[in-house]
Amino acid sequence: MSVTPEDIEKVALLARLSISESALPEVTERFSKVLDLVDELNTINTDGVVPMSNPHDMTQRLRADTVTSHNTREALMASAPAQDSGYFLVPKVID
Amino acid sequence: MNWEIVMGLEVHLQLATQSKIFSGSATQFGAEPNCQADPVDLGMPGMLPVLNEEAVRHAVTFGLGIGAKIGERSVFDRKNYFYPDLPKGYQVSQFFAPIVCEGVFDVAMPDGSLLPIRITRAHLEEDAGKSVHDIFPRETGIDLNRAGTPLLEIVTEPDFRTAEQAVAYLKALHSLVTYLGISDGNMAEGSMRCDINISLRERGTDALGTRTEIKNVNSFRFVERAIHVECERQADILDSGGRIIQETRLYDAEQNVTRSMRSKEVANDYRYFPEPDLLPIEIDADYIEAVRATLPELPGAKRNRFVSDYGLSEYDATLLVPNHAMASFFEAVVDHCHAAKPAANWILGDLSGALNRADIAIEHSPLSAQQLAGLISRIEDGTLSSKLAKQVFDAMWEGLGDADEIIESRGLKQVSDAGALETMVAEVIAANPDQVAQYVAADEAKRKKLSGFFVGQIMKASQGQANPQLLNQLLLEKLDAQS
């Protein structure tokens, strides 16, 4: 097995996923299988192959620097669970 | 223990664009909360980013400005972390293939020497929104106007050994980017924010110590103070046998301490991967040459030219050049009056003083370059003494007209007519026989002092308008003729 339950707990925390104690062994096993497959792919010789960052063989089109969006705050805030004085509200964040 | 400081800096520079890096929202500072945030900035499902060409051009301009290598093919990546002011749960940045690769930036130190700082990279990214903690008692407010503002993050190698070097670098960088026109450089509005990576090691050793990162310092003064207090803190820990914990800290300017940002500790694993919503940016040689052709004269070259062409001292040139508007003002003044050294003195002295007192930037000076040149011309041609010139300057500052108008209306012309001055000298000598006798009896050293009395009397009689050089010459001739 290529990953430990502790690895899974750490990754889950980073991704803000909650994985119950009882599900942990199964998730660990399935996760390991995916990584084992990647390990297998890693055995292929890719010398001289340029790393691909996007499957489309194109480059980025650029946009002119002009303001095209205008204030639609009211509409965009309509679906927010909490708001006040033009701000979205979230539970208190303390640093 | 004798500790050596080792520092590297990361500067987040807000690029001067009308719209955001990936959306058509405005970037103007100071708008009502969330009025400049569209569905792309809010990370609404299905929204796709489209890259702003001006942000790319500014990044390439910066790279060429420091002689760095431009990434022919650069790629955006997702930097993953959760925070309420980052709606998508990731920041679009460049990790594996930045747009600006390694370069060297020569920083002019206050003593005139050059300090070469290695730039590791500079990459494009989007800014996050703003969290407001002090308006609502039980909640945090989120303003996404800043989300998606284009940033260039400029990263150095750990090349700094003193706070002075770090501040000199930041000032030189600020000067460079305002010359290049890629940022307004307004630090109070957060256009230039600095993260400081800082560690200590025993002087004479090579290995790097454990570092801490001080986040988001936004003034030159705070950078200097933050470095001093963090070094003291680390030295205290190391001297008492402790270990430095690698962590992110915040500088609290009110208490003058750095504090650990505990919440960021766990999340320091960003799991970067290529951003599938954006294609690679390709920059070819033609584009690079086209941008290079638009580069203005940069601060270093201008400083050298001010010394060689205008005969300014290194010191004056170093003071005039960093502020692009001040350098331009200087050249405009010299264009009109052809007197470089006096122009530098007036700009760095009286004009800067008046501007500072009124808190006005030189580009908004109530006194134009042409007006100041007019004043300097009247000093150069002997119409005004330096004392009278200050009166004229004050009147011009008050908006009372050009130098010639003020000289005319106040009758401030310096008396440089030798005949008129001779008459005054003769009158004062005749009226003060006792002082003349003292002068005649005195030795060379004392005579100099005693002649001051006569100068004072004549200045009084002429209401300050006697040409001091000519007066001195005539007076000494007359006095010496008495003995």
Side-chain angles (χ1 to χ4, degrees):
Chain A
M1 206 184 285
S2 51
V3 290
T4 64
E6 290 73 38
D7 292 331
I8 298 299
E9 280 177 328
K10 188 190 168 204
V11 174
L13 175 68
L14 289 170
R16 298 295 186 272
L17 293 175
S18 160
I19 295 171
S20 68
E21 197 73 32
S22 58
L24 197 56
E26 196 200 334
V27 173
T28 306
E29 196 194 325
R30 286 165 64 179
F31 208 102
S32 289
K33 279 186 179 159
V34 173
L35 292 177
D36 289 346
L37 175 67
V38 174
D39 280 345
E40 216 172 306
L41 289 174
N42 268 339
T43 62
I44 299 166
N45 185 346
T46 55
D47 288 354
V49 179
V50 182
M52 183 182 73
S53 53
N54 195 292
H56 299 289
D57 188 21
M58 292 190 292
T59 56
Q60 184 62 40
R61 286 276 299 273
L62 304 179
R63 205 187 88 236
D65 179 30
T66 46
V67 175
T68 51
S69 291
H70 299 284
N71 181 14
T72 51
R73 181 171 80 180
E74 219 168 295
L76 290 171
M77 282 205 143
S79 53
Q83 48 151 306
D84 191 352
S85 316
Y87 290 93
F88 295 100
L89 296 186
V90 299
K92 195 100 188 156
V93 183
I94 302 154
D95 242 332
Chain B
M1 189 85 76
N2 187 5
W3 300 109
E4 179 179 50
I5 311 170
V6 180
M7 287 178 290
L9 300 183
E10 293 167 20
V11 168
H12 289 87
L13 182 74
Q14 186 177 320
L15 297 173
T17 58
Q18 299 299 312
S19 64
K20 293 190 178 174
I21 185 167
F22 299 125
S23 84
S25 300
T27 54
Q28 219 172 341
F29 181 81
E32 286 291 303
N34 292 305
C35 286
Q36 293 178 172
D38 77 356
V40 174
D41 308 316
L42 264 55
M44 292 289 189
M47 294 297 113
L48 289 173
V50 189
L51 183 58
N52 183 337
E53 65 177 7
E54 193 71 356
V56 172
R57 174 177 287 270
H58 285 340
V60 171
T61 304
F62 173 78
L64 296 177
I66 59 161
K69 191 173 157 297
I70 305 300
E72 289 163 28
R73 188 180 170 86
S74 72
V75 177
F76 284 100
D77 301 291
R78 290 187 179 179
K79 177 181 181 176
N80 299 281
Y81 68 93
F82 286 100
Y83 206 75
D85 55 25
L86 187 75
K88 298 191 294 295
Y90 56 85
Q91 178 190 28
V92 179
S93 180
Q94 297 190 305
F95 187 67
F96 299 104
I99 190 161
V100 177
C101 308
E102 64 277 2
V104 175
F105 181 38
D106 287 322
V107 176
M109 295 297 292
D111 66 2
S113 64
L114 287 180
L115 175 72
I117 295 298
R118 290 171 297 159
I119 304 292
T120 315
R121 56 188 280 147
H123 61 258
L124 283 167
E125 63 184 27
E126 58 179 342
D127 206 347
K130 197 170 78 181
S131 298
V132 178
H133 303 288
D134 52 6
I135 299 183
F136 309 99
R138 275 175 300 276
E139 284 114 342
T140 292
I142 305 292
D143 173 9
L144 295 173
N145 282 348
R146 212 179 58 190
T149 297
L151 299 179
L152 187 67
E153 179 172 338
I154 304 158
V155 183
T156 76
E157 293 291 306
D159 285 353
F160 301 96
R161 297 292 173 270
T162 65
E164 188 201 17
Q165 291 174 352
V167 172
Y169 164 77
L170 292 172
K171 286 184 173 168
L173 188 65
H174 183 267
S175 173
L176 176 72
V177 301
T178 49
Y179 265 75
L180 292 172
I182 63 171
S183 175
D184 64 13
N186 190 328
M187 299 188 72
E189 293 177 4
S191 292
M192 198 170 148
R193 312 191 293 267
C194 181
D195 299 345
I196 309 158
N197 284 294
I198 182 164
S199 65
L200 300 185
R201 68 178 169 201
E202 205 181 324
R203 201 172 292 279
T205 62
D206 285 335
L208 292 172
T210 304
R211 68 167 194 268
T212 58
E213 181 178 11
I214 311 171
K215 277 257 178 230
N216 264 336
V217 191
N218 69 349
S219 84
F220 299 137
R221 194 161 49 100
F222 287 171
V223 165
E224 190 167 6
R225 287 165 56 186
I227 291 171
H228 286 310
V229 293
E230 179 60 13
C231 285
E232 268 173 41
R233 189 189 70 87
Q234 290 193 13
D236 283 349
I237 292 173
L238 293 170
D239 281 335
S240 59
R243 277 177 43 232
I244 304 298
I245 302 165
Q246 183 167 342
E247 62 181 352
T248 305
R249 300 180 70 84
L250 264 190
Y251 175 64
D252 175 343
E254 246 165 63
Q255 309 275 325
N256 195 32
V257 292
T258 64
R259 286 185 212 290
S260 177
M261 288 174 77
R262 284 174 196 84
S263 65
K264 296 254 163 154
E265 257 169 58
V266 228
N268 247 336
D269 182 345
Y270 296 122
R271 296 150 293 140
Y272 286 96
F273 64 86
E275 161 63 281
D277 290 342
L278 288 160
L279 292 158
I281 316 168
E282 253 173 31
I283 293 169
D284 60 25
D286 288 349
Y287 182 84
I288 292 176
E289 288 321 305
V291 175
R292 197 192 303 280
T294 67
L295 290 185
E297 181 183 36
L298 297 180
K302 198 181 284 277
R303 196 170 46 244
N304 292 340
R305 185 168 60 82
F306 277 15
V307 171
S308 63
D309 288 13
Y310 293 122
L312 292 187
S313 64
E314 282 277 351
Y315 180 79
D316 284 349
T318 303
L319 289 177
L320 282 171
V321 164
N323 180 340
H324 194 193
M326 186 182 279
S328 303
F329 194 96
F330 166 77
E331 294 210 81
V333 173
V334 177
D335 250 8
H336 284 103
C337 72
H338 309 286
K341 180 65 191 164
N345 288 345
W346 277 93
I347 292 169
L348 294 171
D350 292 74
L351 181 63
S352 288
L355 290 168
N356 284 342
R357 278 192 298 279
D359 196 20
I360 299 172
I362 193 162
E363 52 269 45
H364 304 124
S365 169
L367 200 77
S368 71
Q370 207 164 343
Q371 280 181 300
L372 184 59
L375 172 66
I376 293 168
S377 298
R378 293 293 85 83
I379 304 164
E380 293 294 298
D381 69 11
T383 308
L384 293 175
S385 65
S386 57
K387 201 170 158 195
L388 291 175
K390 287 199 193 289
Q391 284 185 43
V392 176
F393 177 88
D394 290 341
M396 281 164 62
W397 178 263
E398 300 292 328
L400 301 178
D402 292 342
D404 286 342
E405 292 164 9
I406 293 161
I407 292 165
E408 189 63 40
S409 67
R410 298 196 175 183
L412 288 177
K413 269 199 178 109
Q414 170 169 260
V415 180
S416 297
D417 169 359
L421 280 179
E422 267 175 33
T423 314
M424 287 187 213
V425 170
E427 279 168 9
V428 168
I429 285 177
N432 299 283
D434 292 352
Q435 279 79 4
V436 174
Q438 268 183 38
Y439 180 92
V440 171
D443 60 21
E444 194 66 26
K446 277 220 175 114
R447 279 189 170 188
K448 209 166 179 180
K449 210 169 152 192
L450 289 167
S451 71
F453 165 79
F454 297 98
V455 172
Q457 293 295 310
I458 296 162
M459 276 298 179
K460 210 162 140 191
S462 74
Q463 292 171 319
Q465 286 170 258
N467 176 330
Q469 286 84 24
L470 188 59
L471 165 61
N472 248 316
Q473 187 199 326
L474 294 172
L475 176 68
L476 292 183
E477 277 170 18
K478 281 264 154 79
L479 281 174
D480 292 342
Q482 306 285 320
S483 43

